[in-house]
Amino acid sequence: MLKIENLHAEVEGKAILKGINLEVKAGEVHAIMGPNGAGKSTLSSIIAGKEEYEVTSGSIELEGEDIDELAPEERAHAGVFLSFQYPVEIPGVTVTNFIKTAINESRKAKGLEEMPAKDMLKKIREKSELLEIDRKFLSRSLNEGFSGGEKKRNEIFQMAMLEPKLAILDETDSGLDIDALRIVSNGVNKLKSKDNAVIVITHYQRLLDYIVPDYVHVLHDGKIVKTGDASLALKLEEKGYDWIKEEVNS
Ligand SMILES: Nc1ncnc2c1ncn2[C@@H]1O[C@H](COP(=O)(O)OP(=O)(O)OP(=O)(O)O)[C@@H](O)[C@H]1O
Ligand SMILES: [Mg+2]
């Protein structure tokens, strides 16, 4: 699904990623953890194709194709979904209209016709029920006045509607109350299949009780310094990042 080799990247001349290797296969869930400023959001932005970052060496392949030259929307159409750590507000555009447009744009890029209104409504109904989203919420302006938890839930709704091949969730758990955490995690688990993959970026082991990862990676100073299974997250919770730093330095 996703293969990253020796990825180096910088922003405004400052090196941020310093040789990332990561392979994510279909059907897998990977968690990325690591201290503030390690480069987690940068890595996800680069996978999604955000232009402020400059890839100085290395490669990113999606399903065997180099995506380095693709624009963010082309990557989205190819099946990459990135949730935002800080979502944007779009006054006057409702949650529903935003997602309708996104779906139809993606269909258009693939040479398909717009999704019939009936199918769209059915899909919206199904996914909003799955994620326990109130109907009234769907007609609100995108992210305008949304609480932290509402923003996160909206992201997962977008993901559920778009059915991406590769979903990257950047701190989707921060600011969620216990119930919302459970709903969002259940949503992710239900959407998981043998054909798609998920990367979750989180600071909290707690999320990984709900979304059990196949692999946990620790990103530190632009490099993946440790990879393990779900138990690595528990160990981090217990020992903190100093433990990793000591290991890296020894
Ligand atoms: N657009 C940018 N301009 C300048 N510096 C940037 C930019 N984006 C990222 N950086 C820097 O790159 C480093 C890595 O940032 P990044 O957001 O990837 O960290 P993170 O691991 O996601 O941290 P957090 O856990 O706090 O979200 C930081 O030092 C940050 O200041
Ligand atoms: Mg971040």
Side-chain angles (χ1 to χ4, degrees):
M1 171 80 56
L2 178 73
K3 193 169 184 181
I4 297 179
E5 279 178 354
N6 192 31
L7 182 70
H8 287 73
E10 56 186 42
V11 64
E12 291 165 4
K14 179 181 161 212
I16 311 281
L17 300 185
K18 304 170 182 173
I20 302 274
N21 293 293
L22 177 66
E23 185 168 5
V24 178
K25 299 203 176 80
E28 291 178 349
V29 176
H30 289 240
I32 299 181
M33 304 183 82
N36 293 133
K40 304 179 298 297
S41 296
T42 300
L43 176 61
S44 46
S45 297
I46 288 173
I47 298 171
K50 280 211 211 154
E51 272 132 16
E52 66 241 50
Y53 301 95
E54 196 195 338
V55 173
T56 49
S57 63
S59 63
I60 307 177
E61 284 180 5
L62 185 73
E63 298 194 302
E65 299 219 19
D66 197 325
I67 59 168
D68 196 43
E69 297 299 314
L70 298 187
E73 59 275 16
E74 292 173 308
R75 298 185 197 205
H77 298 153
V80 177
F81 174 87
L82 171 64
S83 78
F84 297 101
Q85 194 172 3
Y86 306 104
V88 287
E89 295 184 6
I90 313 185
V93 175
T94 64
V95 170
T96 307
N97 279 332
F98 181 80
I99 196 66
K100 275 186 191 166
T101 306
I103 287 180
N104 283 328
E105 283 294 315
S106 160
R107 289 174 68 94
K108 202 162 129 192
K110 292 183 189 114
L112 298 170
E113 294 193 352
E114 288 200 351
M115 185 180 280
K118 188 164 66 64
D119 296 354
M120 185 72 81
L121 280 175
K122 183 162 169 272
K123 191 162 178 167
I124 290 172
R125 195 175 310 124
E126 267 173 29
K127 303 297 184 186
S128 56
E129 276 170 19
L130 175 78
L131 297 169
E132 300 179 36
I133 287 173
D134 193 278
R135 301 303 291 275
K136 276 191 225 123
F137 179 77
L138 298 174
S139 52
R140 284 180 62 178
S141 270
L142 194 74
N143 288 320
E144 207 182 4
F146 281 16
S147 77
E150 286 167 346
K151 283 181 188 162
K152 301 294 169 180
R153 210 181 283 210
N154 175 54
E155 284 174 0
I156 299 296
F157 175 66
Q158 288 177 5
M159 177 185 121
M161 289 293 294
L162 289 165
E163 299 175 331
K165 283 185 199 147
L166 175 69
I168 307 169
L169 307 175
D170 192 356
E171 294 190 29
T172 297
D173 53 335
S174 63
L176 289 183
D177 67 36
I178 307 285
D179 287 346
L181 183 68
R182 181 184 50 78
I183 292 163
V184 162
S185 312
N186 276 346
V188 173
N189 288 332
K190 282 184 194 152
L191 298 166
K192 229 172 77 178
S193 80
K194 62 173 177 35
D195 302 316
N196 60 29
V198 186
I199 298 175
V200 288
I201 296 172
T202 183
H203 284 294
Y204 304 105
Q205 189 278 328
R206 187 183 62 165
L207 178 72
L208 307 178
D209 284 336
Y210 296 94
I211 303 174
V212 179
D214 299 294
Y215 298 95
V216 174
H217 309 280
V218 181
L219 191 64
H220 171 64
D221 192 21
K223 282 189 222 125
I224 290 176
V225 293
K226 206 166 183 69
T227 293
D229 60 15
S231 68
L232 177 57
L234 283 167
K235 202 164 172 190
L236 282 173
E237 182 95 341
E238 182 197 329
K239 299 191 163 189
Y241 289 119
D242 284 345
W243 160 64
I244 294 280
K245 289 176 197 164
E246 276 162 28
E247 281 211 350
V248 172
N249 293 328
S250 65

